[in-house]
């Protein structure tokens, strides 16, 4: 994500949140494309120091990916 590499985590979070909204609407929460976006959003939250928000999302994505396997 370009904004993330430039260090603008707030802008990156905004774009990922919008992408997540769209992908969830189109594919549902457990679709691989949606899961990738959810993981990217969790990374941004983590990098922003918001571990209390990132950890549950990491765990949720991991669980959903296990189910897909």
């Amino acid at each position: 994500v370009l904004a993330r590499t430039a260090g603008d985590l707030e802008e990156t979070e905004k774009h990922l949140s919008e992408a997540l909204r769209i992908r969830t609407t189109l594919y549902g929460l457990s679709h691989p494309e949606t899961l990738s976006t959810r993981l990217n959003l969790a990374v941004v939250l983590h990098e922003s120091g918001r571990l209390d928000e990132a950890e549950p999302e990491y765990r949720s994505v991991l669980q959903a990916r296990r189910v897909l396997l």
Side-chain angles (χ1 to χ4, degrees), residues 1-68:
V1 175
L2 182 59
R4 185 169 148 222
T5 60
D8 190 351
L9 294 175
E10 187 176 308
E11 187 71 13
T12 301
E13 181 184 353
K14 180 178 132 185
H15 290 294
L16 285 172
S17 293
E18 179 64 11
L20 179 57
R21 184 190 67 75
I22 293 167
R23 287 182 173 171
T24 300
T25 299
L26 292 174
Y27 307 124
L29 274 176
S30 297
H31 187 278
E33 290 294 322
T34 308
L35 291 174
S36 291
T37 303
R38 291 173 62 196
L39 180 60
N40 288 335
L41 184 55
V43 169
V44 169
L45 293 170
H46 184 166
E47 290 179 357
S48 297
R50 294 160 55 193
L51 303 180
D52 58 325
E53 295 174 67
E55 182 183 2
E57 192 62 19
Y58 280 136
R59 290 181 185 279
S60 179
V61 169
L62 176 62
Q63 181 60 33
R65 288 192 177 190
R66 283 183 177 153
V67 169
L68 290 176

